[in-house]
């Protein structure tokens, strides 16, 4: 092909113009959470939507198993490879905030037309606060109660759900049916945060807390848990199963009661082929003090991000979608300005009503920068008692000594 002089000049000019025009700049945001490990969740869904809606931003989302998230993020932060945004279980937030690993977003939130701190419930908001500053926003909140199989209850002649832990144990014995592979109860007593999540409320009911675990009431209930495991009224799998897998036993009809939370409701509506309900977590004595776990995750921007403005835009998008998280993911918004809709599914609406009541009694885990160590002392004691290595009283006393050392007492 031949070019005349004019054509050659034109081609050169166009080439120079294309070289002078910069390529469209895109910022990459790395976002980490547990969502997407075993099922679609809030973080993976909203991250994908934010990526698709913003041409100037590319989101690289990574799903990390619950048990690995904290240590993986600590390693990444120490080596300069931290994500821009991470979603932690609420008691873990203080560990990162106190170490300067999270970005102070106090002023950004104050100037935001989307995120309003006053709209969040006090407990969840406290979990993202440190030293009077705001280092994140709550993602959602939850708690635990007792799911129970109404058909199996009726078959056993039991008309009401248990109101005390002693009664739950009594019911578990009556409801156990080895011939049909049915356990009376299931829960999560694994050596991990889920174990602490289920046992700490009992410590709190007995007048204790994360800094006072060796109470008589906590030892009494731990003895009841051991009795259920030893007698086969609860499967020995409770020592290793997380809440999702443990409640799967209930959903399949192989346990008459399950200690779990509202994240199970949608799956239960679909999977459970029996009549079921939810009751408040039992107390230690009739009419005794109530407590329950304050669960839920938080969003935060890590202090090492090179793109704080874009990362905060992502947080604003996530917060703007809070009205979807119950209907789509079965999670409860940590906000007072969002009224949960009536779904029209009778069992789901009844369950939600109980969990909203239970949230009135929910107490936080911590917050404390060394929560991981404190939690380990608690679930180690629980495991030692349930496996017969130590008495419940001695195991909790040992945990108290460990915790005293952590707290510098």
């Amino acid at each position: 092909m031949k070019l005349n002089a004019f054509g050659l000049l034109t081609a050169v000019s166009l080439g120079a113009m294309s070289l002078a025009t910069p390529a469209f700049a895109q910022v990459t945001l790395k976002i980490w959470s547990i969502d997407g490990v075993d099922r679609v969740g809030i973080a993976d869904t909203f991250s994908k939507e934010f990526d698709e809606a913003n041409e100037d931003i590319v989101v690289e989302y990574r799903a990390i198993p619950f048990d690995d998230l904290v240590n993986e993020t600590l390693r990444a932060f120490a080596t300069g490879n931290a994500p821009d945004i991470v979603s932690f279980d609420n008691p873990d937030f203080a560990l990162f905030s106190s170490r300067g690993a999270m970005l102070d977003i106090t002023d950004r939130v104050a100037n935001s037309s989307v995120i309003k701190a006053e709209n969040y419930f006090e407990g969840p908001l406290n979990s993202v606060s440190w030293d009077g500053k705001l280092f994140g926003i709550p993602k959602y909140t939850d708690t635990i109660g007792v799911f129970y199989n109404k058909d199996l209850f009726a078959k056993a002649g039991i008309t009401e759900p248990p109101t005390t832990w002693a009664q739950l144990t009594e019911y578990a014995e009556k409801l156990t049916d080895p011939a049909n592979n049915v356990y009376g109860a299931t829960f999560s007593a694994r050596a991990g945060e889920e174990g602490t999540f289920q046992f700490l409320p009992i410590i709190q009911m007995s007048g204790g807390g994360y800094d006072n675990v060796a109470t008589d009431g906590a030892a009494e209930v731990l003895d009841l848990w051991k009795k259920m495991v030893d007698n086969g009224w609860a499967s020995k799998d409770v020592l290793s199963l997380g809440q999702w897998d443990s409640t799967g036993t209930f959903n399949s009809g192989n346990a008459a009661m399950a200690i779990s939370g509202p994240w199970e409701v949608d799956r239960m509506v679909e999977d459970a082929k029996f009549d079921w309900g939810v009751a408040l977590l039992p107390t230690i004595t009739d009419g005794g003090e109530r407590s329950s776990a304050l669960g839920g995750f938080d969003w935060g921007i890590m202090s090492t991000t090179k793109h704080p403005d874009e990362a905060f835009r992502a947080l604003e998008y996530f917060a703007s979608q809070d009205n979807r998280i119950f209907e789509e993911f079965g999670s409860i918004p940590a906000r007072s300005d969002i009224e949960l809709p009536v779904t029209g599914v009778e069992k789901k609406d009844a369950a939600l009503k109980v969990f909203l009541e239970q949230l009135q009694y929910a107490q936080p885990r911590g917050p404390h920068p060394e929560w991981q160590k404190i939690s380990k002392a608690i679930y180690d004691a629980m495991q030692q008692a349930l496996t017969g290595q130590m008495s419940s009283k001695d195991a909790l006393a040992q945990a108290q000594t460990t915790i005293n050392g952590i707290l510098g007492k």
Side-chain angles (χ1 to χ4, degrees):
M1 182 177 66
K2 293 183 180 179
L3 290 172
N4 58 29
F6 178 77
L8 181 61
L9 287 171
T10 302
V12 170
S13 298
L14 289 172
M17 287 174 63
S18 66
L19 289 172
T21 303
F24 184 73
Q26 287 184 314
V27 164
T28 297
L29 290 180
K30 295 181 179 179
I31 301 178
W32 291 2
S33 184
I34 66 167
D35 298 336
V37 171
D38 54 10
R39 58 192 182 277
V40 173
I42 296 169
D44 51 332
T45 300
F46 290 173
S47 294
K48 181 180 179 182
E49 293 173 357
F50 183 73
D51 173 66
E52 293 172 347
N54 292 273
E55 292 184 358
D56 60 327
I57 296 173
V58 174
V59 174
E60 292 182 0
Y61 180 78
R62 181 184 174 194
I64 300 176
F66 179 87
D67 289 343
D68 300 332
L69 181 60
V70 168
N71 289 334
E72 188 73 12
T73 307
L74 284 172
R75 282 193 294 269
F77 179 73
T79 58
N81 297 305
D84 298 277
I85 296 172
V86 67
S87 177
F88 291 119
D89 192 14
N90 69 75
D92 294 323
F93 220 87
L95 168 65
F96 290 86
S97 300
S98 65
R99 295 186 180 190
M102 306 309 295
L103 185 70
D104 179 359
I105 61 171
T106 308
D107 291 340
R108 292 177 185 272
V109 169
N111 294 320
S112 175
S113 61
V114 178
I115 301 172
K116 300 296 181 184
E118 62 268 22
N119 289 339
Y120 291 97
F121 295 126
E122 181 180 358
L125 190 65
N126 284 343
S127 71
V128 292
S129 304
W130 186 259
D131 197 25
K133 298 176 181 178
L134 200 60
F135 290 91
I137 60 171
K139 179 179 176 183
Y140 65 88
T141 190
D142 60 40
T143 189
I144 53 176
V146 181
F147 289 93
Y148 63 104
N149 185 320
K150 293 184 177 181
D151 292 343
L152 291 178
F153 268 52
K155 184 179 177 182
I158 302 172
T159 58
E160 298 291 337
T163 57
T164 66
W165 286 103
Q167 191 175 51
L168 185 144
T169 305
E170 176 190 330
Y171 284 8
E173 179 181 10
K174 291 180 179 179
L175 292 160
T176 298
D177 183 1
N180 289 300
N181 196 28
V182 175
Y183 292 98
T186 187
F187 47 91
S188 178
R190 68 181 306 205
E193 186 61 30
E194 289 173 290
T196 299
F197 186 68
Q198 295 219 340
F199 186 63
L200 181 60
I202 294 165
I203 294 172
Q204 294 164 335
M205 287 177 193
S206 64
Y210 76 87
D211 56 349
N212 177 26
V213 301
T215 65
D216 290 340
E220 177 186 329
V221 175
L222 196 49
D223 283 340
L224 292 173
W225 283 19
K226 185 175 188 301
K227 186 176 182 180
M228 286 191 282
V229 174
D230 287 349
N231 286 286
W233 307 337
S235 170
K236 286 184 170 57
D237 285 348
V238 300
L239 294 165
S240 59
L241 292 179
Q243 296 174 111
W244 182 258
D245 293 324
S246 173
T247 312
T249 306
F250 175 84
N251 292 352
S252 64
N254 296 117
M257 295 179 286
I259 310 299
S260 202
W263 58 86
E264 296 286 354
V265 172
D266 282 338
R267 180 172 67 145
M268 207 167 288
V269 168
E270 292 183 12
D271 294 354
K273 308 303 181 186
F274 51 83
D275 192 12
W276 56 272
V278 183
L280 296 176
L281 211 59
T283 55
I284 296 176
T285 59
D286 281 318
E289 184 175 348
R290 290 196 178 278
S291 181
S292 187
L294 180 65
F297 270 57
D298 299 324
W299 296 107
I301 301 170
M302 299 213 73
S303 59
T304 50
T305 183
K306 296 179 181 178
H307 311 292
D309 292 338
E310 291 83 358
F312 191 73
R313 276 171 54 194
L315 256 59
E316 287 188 313
Y317 176 75
F318 299 156
S320 74
Q321 304 304 305
D322 281 346
N323 62 317
R324 295 167 49 194
I325 65 174
F326 174 69
E327 282 194 86
E328 295 184 30
F329 307 102
S331 297
I332 299 175
R335 292 168 53 172
S336 60
D337 63 323
I338 295 178
E339 186 173 346
L340 299 186
V342 175
T343 68
V345 179
E346 185 179 354
K347 289 186 178 67
K348 184 173 182 176
D349 290 334
L352 178 62
K353 184 177 180 180
V354 175
F355 282 120
L356 289 175
E357 181 181 354
Q358 187 75 81
L359 274 170
Q360 297 177 30
Y361 306 104
Q363 297 185 48
R365 291 162 284 160
H368 193 279
E370 298 297 336
W371 175 253
Q372 292 270 314
K373 295 177 182 178
I374 294 169
S375 178
K376 186 177 187 303
I378 294 171
Y379 65 68
D380 279 350
M382 180 183 64
Q383 286 254 316
Q384 287 165 343
L386 294 179
T387 56
Q389 299 175 58
M390 302 178 73
S391 70
S392 296
K393 189 173 182 178
D394 288 346
L396 290 171
Q398 179 174 279
Q400 186 66 58
T401 299
T402 300
I403 291 170
N404 286 345
I406 296 168
L407 299 179
K409 288 186 176 182

